[in-house]
Amino acid sequence: MNITILIGTCDKYQFLWKDFVYLFEKYTRNEFSNIRKVFMSETRSESIDGYEFFTPGKIPYSNALIQLLDTVDTDYVLWMQEDYFLSRYIPITQFEKYFDYVVSNSVDRFQVECPTLMESTGVPVLNEFITKGDSLYRLNQDSRFSVNMQASIWNVEFFKSILIPNESPWQLEEWGSRRANTRPHHLIHHVIPNISMWYHQAMVRGKRTDGYWLSKKVVSMERDMEIGEFERRVFNPI
């Protein structure tokens, strides 16, 4: 696929990286192994098989993003954060359906979420489906958060076009949305009915969430059963 996976992080959240990778590999069943995966950190990195680290230093968030996207050689990226701990299986076949929809319909940003997260800023997309029972919403031209840093597939050129230097993540969402709304955009939210979110957000305002502790329990139990096999294979590759 013509896509790169980018994972936003910072030095102080280094303690999340191994758990993120463990859960990502567990719930994708290594089906994404052929896709380039890059952590956008600050100054710290780790040796993790199958993952790269981009370390531009302690510079503004948007500056780091601009520099990182200049290293990407695909037309699309999947943006994630290091505290998005996957909680259920994500088949590569389902992801390919999302990706094909994005490419075929020239979508600028595509986000998957559960119904409770859908703001009243979108309108249903009629006669377009990815799988049976889909609810697709196209965000209005004046949506407050046309730009947000939740997990999404982005068209790289569109992503670059809304970035300017010296913005924090919150400024990027607020002011980047205003910039995006000054020109036509195609932003789709895919709302999945009757299920919980496909990941736990492990941190909120710098504090560990219930989702963190639930995911941590899963990781700890499975690592104990595997007697460290996963760590030996992934974090200390031969």
Side-chain angles (χ1 to χ4, degrees), residues 80-211:
M80 300 186 71
Q81 305 276 48
E82 84 288 81
D83 66 338
Y84 292 171
F85 284 5
L86 295 194
S87 58
R88 63 184 181 86
Y89 176 43
I90 310 290
I92 188 70
T93 53
Q94 183 65 34
F95 187 80
E96 287 171 341
K97 289 179 181 178
Y98 293 153
F99 183 73
D100 289 344
Y101 178 86
V102 167
V103 175
S104 299
N105 293 277
S106 301
V107 177
D108 294 317
R109 185 175 67 81
F110 181 92
Q111 180 175 336
V112 179
E113 58 190 346
C114 60
T116 56
L117 296 180
M118 184 59 208
E119 299 178 274
S120 59
T121 55
V123 293
V125 177
L126 302 178
N127 303 318
E128 289 186 18
F129 303 94
I130 299 173
T131 55
K132 186 177 180 179
D134 277 341
S135 295
L136 295 178
Y137 291 82
R138 180 167 181 166
L139 293 194
N140 294 326
Q141 190 62 42
D142 60 350
S143 296
R144 181 180 176 188
F145 290 109
S146 298
V147 173
N148 77 57
M149 302 311 292
Q150 298 292 317
S152 299
I153 298 172
W154 288 81
N155 175 287
V156 170
E157 290 307 312
F158 175 78
F159 205 169
K160 287 180 175 180
S161 74
I162 55 93
L163 294 172
I164 64 172
N166 302 319
E167 287 188 338
S168 69
W170 303 274
Q171 290 169 330
L172 172 56
E173 289 185 333
E174 185 76 28
W175 299 341
S177 293
R178 297 177 191 178
R179 291 192 294 272
N181 291 344
T182 62
R183 54 186 183 272
H185 56 54
H186 191 187
L187 311 172
I188 295 290
H189 282 210
H190 177 212
V191 178
I192 305 177
N194 303 319
I195 66 164
S196 59
M197 195 59 177
W198 52 277
Y199 63 87
H200 297 301
Q201 188 166 353
M203 304 291 292
V204 173
R205 297 183 178 90
K207 295 183 179 180
R208 293 170 174 84
T209 65
D210 290 343

